[in-house]
Amino acid sequence: MIIQLQQGISADVKENILQKVEAIGYKANEVITQDAHYLVAIGKKEFDIRSIGKLAGVADIHRVSDEYKLISRKWRVEPTRIDLGDGVTIGEGQFSIMAGPCSIESEKQIELVVQHLKENNVKIMRGGVFKPRSSPYAFRGMGLEGLQMFYRICQENGIKIITEVMQVSQIEEMIDFVDVFQVGARNSQNFNLLDSLGEAQKPVLLKRGISGTIEELLQAAEYIFSNGNEKIMLCERGIRGYEKAYRNILDLNAVPVLKEKTHLPVIVDPSHGIGLRDYVADMALAAVMAGADGVIYETHQKPEEAFSDGQQTLNFIESERLIRRMRQAYELRESF
Ligand code: PEP
Ligand code: MN
């Protein structure tokens, strides 16, 4: 059961609600986010929900049978929109394109990608500065210095940035230079990181784990929300299967299923999803038609020279064509 409390509720009024919740055998967890104040009450007993709903200080109340609560559509029917500032928003009613290199490599590279994005009216640039690599000897990113340069150049050009945070201790040093924190597939169930991002108050793009189920992804998002941060988007980036013909299995089934289960925006990453440049555009277009709220993909001025993931990275000609086609596909979808 979720109880939304009235804004500015007094301690006494809240205490009375808590006592009544306890009296029916439920355990209440208090959640205070950027937007609202909730009690998430966990219990099994049948009771008349009106007995709580009528109490002073209760703004709204709902039973939610899902394991995840606050991110459930059973609680909030209206889709969540995330405001990144300066007119850049993500969520239903528009299609968001986020593009950029796998790794931030140099000032020149950032400038070239920014130029490409501006020419195509793309407002969000991706790029990792802390890179989770399968091999410890591979390029692991430019770190904080790279991030500061990335952020500065993008800010000067009116572009928002999304970049991966790998551990709790990085949040504080990164937070002033980030518009959206990305949680990578390998950290999808790093609950300490999710807890801390819940307190961090910056939007989060949460990727599905390499072998993560939909339920696990949703529960991971609930960690962030229940720690105080409502600005979450989910990202399908492919799951591991037995197939060797491509890098991962981009599970586009997840898109309509997630859209039905949660009010959070759903983004698709076809670059990591299929892992082969020639097929990224087709899967991106399929993601649009499946109902995604946005696509995040890798592009680079010279993919063959990229420090990481060049094999799945589009050059600017391919990227420009894909942007145009995704916008056309989105218009078609909205006309159905
Ligand atoms: C990335 O976006 O560069 C990345 C490492 O993605 P994932 O966590 O999905 O593998
Ligand atoms: Mn990558």
Side-chain angles (χ1 to χ4, degrees), residues 101-103 126 128 131-132 164 182-186 207-208 210 237 247 269 272 296 298 309 312:
C102 180
S103 302
R126 61 145 290 145
K131 297 299 303 176
E164 177 164 355
Q182 174 174 318
V183 176
R186 291 153 194 82
K207 287 195 161 191
R208 182 176 181 181
I210 288 174
R237 49 77 72 198
R247 184 175 180 179
D269 175 349
H272 295 86
I296 183 166
E298 291 178 336
D309 281 353
Q312 65 190 31

mmCIF file of all heavy atoms in Angstrom, residues 101-103 126 128 131-132 164 182-186 207-208 210 237 247 269 272 296 298 309 312, ligand 1:
data_model
loop_
_atom_site.group_PDB
_atom_site.id
_atom_site.type_symbol
_atom_site.label_atom_id
_atom_site.label_comp_id
_atom_site.label_asym_id
_atom_site.label_seq_id
_atom_site.Cartn_x
_atom_site.Cartn_y
_atom_site.Cartn_z
ATOM 1 N N PRO A 101 30.157 8.953 -28.179
ATOM 2 C CA PRO A 101 31.099 7.833 -28.209
ATOM 3 C C PRO A 101 30.906 6.912 -27.014
ATOM 4 O O PRO A 101 30.306 7.298 -26.014
ATOM 5 C CB PRO A 101 32.454 8.541 -28.104
ATOM 6 C CG PRO A 101 32.161 9.783 -27.332
ATOM 7 C CD PRO A 101 30.788 10.212 -27.774
ATOM 8 N N CYS A 102 31.459 5.716 -27.143
ATOM 9 C CA CYS A 102 31.481 4.825 -25.982
ATOM 10 C C CYS A 102 32.287 5.521 -24.890
ATOM 11 O O CYS A 102 31.799 5.703 -23.781
ATOM 12 C CB CYS A 102 32.115 3.489 -26.375
ATOM 13 S SG CYS A 102 32.195 2.335 -25.004
ATOM 14 N N SER A 103 33.517 5.941 -25.245
ATOM 15 C CA SER A 103 34.397 6.596 -24.264
ATOM 16 C C SER A 103 34.735 8.011 -24.700
ATOM 17 O O SER A 103 34.967 8.267 -25.887
ATOM 18 C CB SER A 103 35.733 5.848 -24.160
ATOM 19 O OG SER A 103 35.538 4.516 -23.800
ATOM 20 N N ARG A 126 26.061 11.190 -24.911
ATOM 21 C CA ARG A 126 26.567 10.146 -24.029
ATOM 22 C C ARG A 126 28.092 10.069 -24.155
ATOM 23 O O ARG A 126 28.667 10.536 -25.146
ATOM 24 C CB ARG A 126 25.960 8.778 -24.331
ATOM 25 C CG ARG A 126 26.216 8.212 -25.712
ATOM 26 C CD ARG A 126 26.368 6.679 -25.702
ATOM 27 N NE ARG A 126 27.597 6.267 -25.054
ATOM 28 C CZ ARG A 126 27.746 5.176 -24.329
ATOM 29 N NH1 ARG A 126 26.744 4.349 -24.166
ATOM 30 N NH2 ARG A 126 28.914 4.887 -23.775
ATOM 31 N N GLY A 128 31.437 7.769 -21.829
ATOM 32 C CA GLY A 128 31.938 7.258 -20.549
ATOM 33 C C GLY A 128 33.303 7.833 -20.217
ATOM 34 O O GLY A 128 34.158 7.980 -21.099
ATOM 35 N N LYS A 131 35.132 3.646 -17.360
ATOM 36 C CA LYS A 131 34.644 2.580 -18.221
ATOM 37 C C LYS A 131 34.773 1.206 -17.573
ATOM 38 O O LYS A 131 35.867 0.802 -17.175
ATOM 39 C CB LYS A 131 35.441 2.553 -19.533
ATOM 40 C CG LYS A 131 35.299 3.791 -20.379
ATOM 41 C CD LYS A 131 33.877 4.069 -20.820
ATOM 42 C CE LYS A 131 33.237 2.943 -21.597
ATOM 43 N NZ LYS A 131 31.803 3.245 -21.918
ATOM 44 N N PRO A 132 33.668 0.479 -17.509
ATOM 45 C CA PRO A 132 33.752 -0.911 -17.041
ATOM 46 C C PRO A 132 34.224 -1.777 -18.208
ATOM 47 O O PRO A 132 33.514 -1.916 -19.193
ATOM 48 C CB PRO A 132 32.297 -1.228 -16.678
ATOM 49 C CG PRO A 132 31.484 -0.354 -17.584
ATOM 50 C CD PRO A 132 32.318 0.843 -17.936
ATOM 51 N N GLU A 164 28.494 7.302 -17.185
ATOM 52 C CA GLU A 164 28.358 6.214 -16.204
ATOM 53 C C GLU A 164 29.096 6.494 -14.902
ATOM 54 O O GLU A 164 30.239 6.950 -14.894
ATOM 55 C CB GLU A 164 28.887 4.906 -16.826
ATOM 56 C CG GLU A 164 28.839 3.738 -15.848
ATOM 57 C CD GLU A 164 28.969 2.376 -16.489
ATOM 58 O OE1 GLU A 164 29.012 2.277 -17.733
ATOM 59 O OE2 GLU A 164 29.027 1.385 -15.729
ATOM 60 N N GLN A 182 24.492 7.466 -15.479
ATOM 61 C CA GLN A 182 24.153 6.157 -16.037
ATOM 62 C C GLN A 182 24.629 5.073 -15.084
ATOM 63 O O GLN A 182 25.758 5.123 -14.605
ATOM 64 C CB GLN A 182 24.845 5.996 -17.398
ATOM 65 C CG GLN A 182 24.685 4.619 -18.024
ATOM 66 C CD GLN A 182 25.260 4.573 -19.430
ATOM 67 O OE1 GLN A 182 25.091 5.492 -20.225
ATOM 68 N NE2 GLN A 182 25.954 3.499 -19.745
ATOM 69 N N VAL A 183 23.744 4.118 -14.814
ATOM 70 C CA VAL A 183 24.160 2.910 -14.081
ATOM 71 C C VAL A 183 24.298 1.820 -15.126
ATOM 72 O O VAL A 183 23.336 1.492 -15.823
ATOM 73 C CB VAL A 183 23.119 2.501 -13.013
ATOM 74 C CG1 VAL A 183 23.541 1.202 -12.346
ATOM 75 C CG2 VAL A 183 22.949 3.604 -11.983
ATOM 76 N N GLY A 184 25.487 1.284 -15.266
ATOM 77 C CA GLY A 184 25.756 0.299 -16.306
ATOM 78 C C GLY A 184 25.194 -1.071 -15.962
ATOM 79 O O GLY A 184 24.808 -1.345 -14.815
ATOM 80 N N ALA A 185 25.167 -1.905 -16.990
ATOM 81 C CA ALA A 185 24.593 -3.248 -16.836
ATOM 82 C C ALA A 185 25.266 -4.024 -15.702
ATOM 83 O O ALA A 185 24.611 -4.755 -14.962
ATOM 84 C CB ALA A 185 24.739 -3.998 -18.151
ATOM 85 N N ARG A 186 26.565 -3.830 -15.561
ATOM 86 C CA ARG A 186 27.294 -4.589 -14.535
ATOM 87 C C ARG A 186 26.987 -4.118 -13.123
ATOM 88 O O ARG A 186 27.312 -4.777 -12.148
ATOM 89 C CB ARG A 186 28.801 -4.521 -14.822
ATOM 90 C CG ARG A 186 29.177 -5.291 -16.067
ATOM 91 C CD ARG A 186 30.438 -4.759 -16.735
ATOM 92 N NE ARG A 186 30.562 -5.307 -18.089
ATOM 93 C CZ ARG A 186 29.919 -4.821 -19.158
ATOM 94 N NH1 ARG A 186 29.114 -3.778 -19.046
ATOM 95 N NH2 ARG A 186 30.083 -5.378 -20.336
ATOM 96 N N LYS A 207 20.453 0.831 -16.445
ATOM 97 C CA LYS A 207 20.476 -0.218 -17.460
ATOM 98 C C LYS A 207 20.078 -1.564 -16.868
ATOM 99 O O LYS A 207 20.289 -1.819 -15.676
ATOM 100 C CB LYS A 207 21.870 -0.292 -18.080
ATOM 101 C CG LYS A 207 22.155 0.876 -19.007
ATOM 102 C CD LYS A 207 23.347 0.591 -19.873
ATOM 103 C CE LYS A 207 23.379 1.490 -21.088
ATOM 104 N NZ LYS A 207 24.397 1.031 -22.041
ATOM 105 N N ARG A 208 19.535 -2.375 -17.718
ATOM 106 C CA ARG A 208 19.193 -3.735 -17.314
ATOM 107 C C ARG A 208 20.469 -4.561 -17.172
ATOM 108 O O ARG A 208 21.404 -4.410 -17.950
ATOM 109 C CB ARG A 208 18.298 -4.338 -18.405
ATOM 110 C CG ARG A 208 17.809 -5.729 -18.107
ATOM 111 C CD ARG A 208 16.870 -6.160 -19.219
ATOM 112 N NE ARG A 208 16.333 -7.474 -18.990
ATOM 113 C CZ ARG A 208 15.502 -8.080 -19.827
ATOM 114 N NH1 ARG A 208 15.122 -7.471 -20.935
ATOM 115 N NH2 ARG A 208 15.037 -9.282 -19.565
ATOM 116 N N ILE A 210 23.156 -7.669 -17.224
ATOM 117 C CA ILE A 210 23.541 -8.533 -18.337
ATOM 118 C C ILE A 210 22.645 -9.776 -18.415
ATOM 119 O O ILE A 210 22.293 -10.237 -19.484
ATOM 120 C CB ILE A 210 25.041 -8.904 -18.212
ATOM 121 C CG1 ILE A 210 25.870 -7.656 -18.558
ATOM 122 C CG2 ILE A 210 25.416 -10.090 -19.094
ATOM 123 C CD1 ILE A 210 27.347 -7.795 -18.355
ATOM 124 N N ARG A 237 19.290 -2.889 -22.846
ATOM 125 C CA ARG A 237 20.567 -2.851 -23.576
ATOM 126 C C ARG A 237 21.016 -4.242 -24.017
ATOM 127 O O ARG A 237 22.176 -4.464 -24.342
ATOM 128 C CB ARG A 237 21.657 -2.169 -22.750
ATOM 129 C CG ARG A 237 21.799 -2.652 -21.331
ATOM 130 C CD ARG A 237 22.506 -3.977 -21.158
ATOM 131 N NE ARG A 237 23.916 -3.874 -21.413
ATOM 132 C CZ ARG A 237 24.706 -4.910 -21.671
ATOM 133 N NH1 ARG A 237 24.210 -6.138 -21.698
ATOM 134 N NH2 ARG A 237 25.996 -4.748 -21.883
ATOM 135 N N ARG A 247 26.468 -9.576 -30.276
ATOM 136 C CA ARG A 247 27.029 -9.416 -28.925
ATOM 137 C C ARG A 247 26.037 -9.789 -27.817
ATOM 138 O O ARG A 247 26.380 -10.451 -26.840
ATOM 139 C CB ARG A 247 27.463 -7.954 -28.749
ATOM 140 C CG ARG A 247 28.148 -7.674 -27.426
ATOM 141 C CD ARG A 247 28.671 -6.240 -27.365
ATOM 142 N NE ARG A 247 29.327 -5.986 -26.083
ATOM 143 C CZ ARG A 247 29.884 -4.837 -25.754
ATOM 144 N NH1 ARG A 247 29.881 -3.815 -26.606
ATOM 145 N NH2 ARG A 247 30.445 -4.676 -24.574
ATOM 146 N N ASP A 269 19.073 0.850 -25.970
ATOM 147 C CA ASP A 269 20.460 0.989 -26.417
ATOM 148 C C ASP A 269 20.752 -0.119 -27.439
ATOM 149 O O ASP A 269 21.121 -1.227 -27.072
ATOM 150 C CB ASP A 269 21.398 0.867 -25.202
ATOM 151 C CG ASP A 269 22.871 0.874 -25.571
ATOM 152 O OD1 ASP A 269 23.200 0.756 -26.780
ATOM 153 O OD2 ASP A 269 23.708 0.976 -24.661
ATOM 154 N N HIS A 272 24.891 -1.517 -27.708
ATOM 155 C CA HIS A 272 25.308 -2.654 -26.886
ATOM 156 C C HIS A 272 24.362 -3.834 -27.094
ATOM 157 O O HIS A 272 24.736 -4.974 -26.887
ATOM 158 C CB HIS A 272 25.375 -2.248 -25.408
ATOM 159 C CG HIS A 272 26.438 -1.223 -25.149
ATOM 160 N ND1 HIS A 272 26.206 0.131 -25.296
ATOM 161 C CD2 HIS A 272 27.745 -1.350 -24.819
ATOM 162 C CE1 HIS A 272 27.330 0.791 -25.055
ATOM 163 N NE2 HIS A 272 28.279 -0.076 -24.756
ATOM 164 N N ILE A 296 19.503 5.439 -27.083
ATOM 165 C CA ILE A 296 20.865 5.893 -26.791
ATOM 166 C C ILE A 296 21.808 5.020 -27.620
ATOM 167 O O ILE A 296 21.691 3.795 -27.597
ATOM 168 C CB ILE A 296 21.165 5.831 -25.272
ATOM 169 C CG1 ILE A 296 22.557 6.363 -24.964
ATOM 170 C CG2 ILE A 296 21.008 4.426 -24.682
ATOM 171 C CD1 ILE A 296 22.794 6.652 -23.468
ATOM 172 N N GLU A 298 25.891 4.692 -29.890
ATOM 173 C CA GLU A 298 27.277 5.164 -29.963
ATOM 174 C C GLU A 298 27.625 5.693 -31.349
ATOM 175 O O GLU A 298 27.337 5.054 -32.364
ATOM 176 C CB GLU A 298 28.216 4.014 -29.561
ATOM 177 C CG GLU A 298 28.048 3.706 -28.065
ATOM 178 C CD GLU A 298 28.869 2.563 -27.533
ATOM 179 O OE1 GLU A 298 29.262 1.665 -28.313
ATOM 180 O OE2 GLU A 298 29.115 2.538 -26.312
ATOM 181 N N ASP A 309 34.609 -0.119 -28.175
ATOM 182 C CA ASP A 309 33.336 -0.436 -28.850
ATOM 183 C C ASP A 309 33.201 0.116 -30.270
ATOM 184 O O ASP A 309 32.082 0.343 -30.747
ATOM 185 C CB ASP A 309 32.150 0.038 -27.985
ATOM 186 C CG ASP A 309 31.856 -0.942 -26.843
ATOM 187 O OD1 ASP A 309 32.477 -2.024 -26.816
ATOM 188 O OD2 ASP A 309 31.019 -0.615 -25.995
ATOM 189 N N GLN A 312 30.701 -1.395 -32.866
ATOM 190 C CA GLN A 312 29.247 -1.152 -32.807
ATOM 191 C C GLN A 312 28.915 0.338 -32.912
ATOM 192 O O GLN A 312 27.793 0.753 -32.627
ATOM 193 C CB GLN A 312 28.691 -1.720 -31.492
ATOM 194 C CG GLN A 312 29.220 -1.005 -30.256
ATOM 195 C CD GLN A 312 28.867 -1.715 -28.959
ATOM 196 O OE1 GLN A 312 28.748 -2.933 -28.935
ATOM 197 N NE2 GLN A 312 28.683 -0.972 -27.882
HETATM 198 C C1 PEP B 1 28.156 1.859 -22.090
HETATM 199 O O1 PEP B 1 27.066 2.429 -22.199
HETATM 200 O O2 PEP B 1 29.207 2.290 -22.584
HETATM 201 C C2 PEP B 1 28.198 0.569 -21.382
HETATM 202 C C3 PEP B 1 29.326 0.104 -20.841
HETATM 203 O O3 PEP B 1 27.012 -0.065 -21.378
HETATM 204 P P1 PEP B 1 26.533 -1.383 -20.595
HETATM 205 O O4 PEP B 1 26.641 -1.076 -19.158
HETATM 206 O O5 PEP B 1 25.118 -1.532 -21.074
HETATM 207 O O6 PEP B 1 27.416 -2.513 -21.035
#
